[in-house]
Amino acid sequence: MVGGDSWIIANWKSHKTVPEALEWVRRVGEKIDVRKNVKVVVCPQFEAIPEVKKEIMVGNLPLLVGAQDISPFPMGAYTGEESASSLKLFITLCIIGHSERRRYFGESDQLVADKVRMAREEGIIPLVCIQGEETPVPEGCELVAYEPVFAIGTGNPDTPENAQQVAQKLKEKYGEKLQVLYGGSVTKENVVSFITQPDISGVLIGGASLDPDEFCEIVRKVHEAYS
Ligand code: PGA
């Protein structure tokens, strides 16, 4: 990363009950250092979001909360959807268009763009997952995660050099303001190789974010690499 803020984002997917989520937050929140230019975000399942937020506020812990999805509609008659206007009380950002949502829930680029618009209207930062250079980045989106499908949950990450190239091309196409994260089999062993690339501003972590000790180690290594 060159200049600007950096992000370490835990995507728990459909893992962790509320008590498990709170245990993780306590352990990680008390162990990690605060660095002004590194934002650490945890994205639990919906039902844990208010509880996690409360735990962070009460303990004054150096963590932000994110959601893994958001409704493309405002509050209203949309059964099963979580509206941006209710989520905004708890979350700073929202993952949108993860490849698992595109694959298992049929999310199209248009739906992703609608969700981005709704998040922005409510002051939530949209973090759009793109699967390659060709995935469109919706208008107004300034934070994306490059997550090649072959690398997700496989233990087979992309190379840092290729991730850097993709990030560079995205910035050429959409402007320098766009921040690009890398995601896909990030671990404590490889995180530094990604975050030290000039155009990569952080990481989105699935599997390796579930274990609090591993996650703390990732945060520690990122801090060390930036200091
Ligand atoms: P992984 O998942 O770290 O388990 O590969 C990343 C993601 O899906 O965001």
Side-chain angles (χ1 to χ4, degrees):
M1 178 208 49
V2 181
D5 284 341
S6 183
W7 302 82
I8 306 173
I9 302 177
N11 174 15
W12 285 351
K13 311 190 179 185
S14 299
H15 291 287
K16 293 197 189 289
T17 61
V18 173
E20 286 167 351
L22 294 178
E23 172 67 17
W24 184 102
V25 166
R26 273 180 223 123
R27 288 198 31 202
V28 170
E30 280 161 15
K31 216 165 144 191
I32 60 172
D33 288 339
V34 185
R35 291 286 158 94
K36 241 168 87 194
N37 62 337
V38 181
K39 294 188 162 71
V40 183
V41 188
V42 56
C43 303
Q45 299 190 78
F46 282 125
E47 78 282 3
I49 286 177
E51 298 284 331
V52 162
K53 177 69 178 179
K54 202 195 306 168
E55 191 70 23
I56 290 170
M57 302 271 281
V58 170
N60 195 22
L61 305 175
L63 291 165
L64 299 169
V65 185
Q68 301 171 22
D69 188 26
I70 203 157
S71 174
F73 297 106
M75 261 188 188
Y78 306 101
T79 302
E81 287 296 289
E82 300 279 339
S83 71
S85 42
S86 57
L87 282 170
K88 76 175 173 193
L89 302 176
F90 309 105
I91 64 172
T92 301
L93 68 73
C94 180
I95 300 171
I96 296 174
H98 190 284
S99 58
E100 286 154 10
R101 295 218 55 86
R102 295 178 195 255
R103 177 172 173 204
Y104 299 122
F105 305 96
E107 289 199 3
S108 63
D109 292 335
Q110 183 56 53
L111 188 64
V112 169
D114 292 344
K115 290 182 174 192
V116 166
R117 190 167 26 80
M118 193 51 70
R120 290 183 71 227
E121 271 178 32
E122 297 296 341
I124 298 165
I125 300 170
L127 162 58
V128 173
C129 294
I130 59 171
Q131 290 69 50
E133 279 162 52
E134 57 298 333
T135 311
V137 174
E139 211 186 310
C141 172
E142 293 177 355
L143 184 64
V144 297
Y146 163 58
E147 294 205 317
V149 173
F150 70 80
I152 294 180
T154 58
N156 177 30
D158 201 345
T159 62
E161 294 72 25
N162 195 54
Q164 160 59 25
Q165 250 185 29
V166 172
Q168 193 182 342
K169 283 193 189 143
L170 288 167
K171 278 170 174 273
E172 278 164 18
K173 194 163 164 192
Y174 295 102
E176 272 301 311
K177 236 177 142 188
L178 183 74
Q179 283 195 296
V180 184
L181 315 183
Y182 170 75
S185 296
V186 172
T187 62
K188 61 181 190 300
E189 283 79 26
N190 64 25
V191 65
V192 171
S193 65
F194 288 104
I195 56 108
T196 48
Q197 298 297 324
D199 291 312
I200 293 181
S201 301
V203 280
L204 178 57
I205 311 166
S209 75
L210 295 174
D211 177 56
D213 294 331
E214 167 136 27
F215 188 75
C216 287
E217 188 56 15
I218 288 174
V219 174
R220 197 188 63 74
K221 289 201 166 186
V222 172
H223 285 167
E224 196 180 83
Y226 286 154
S227 58

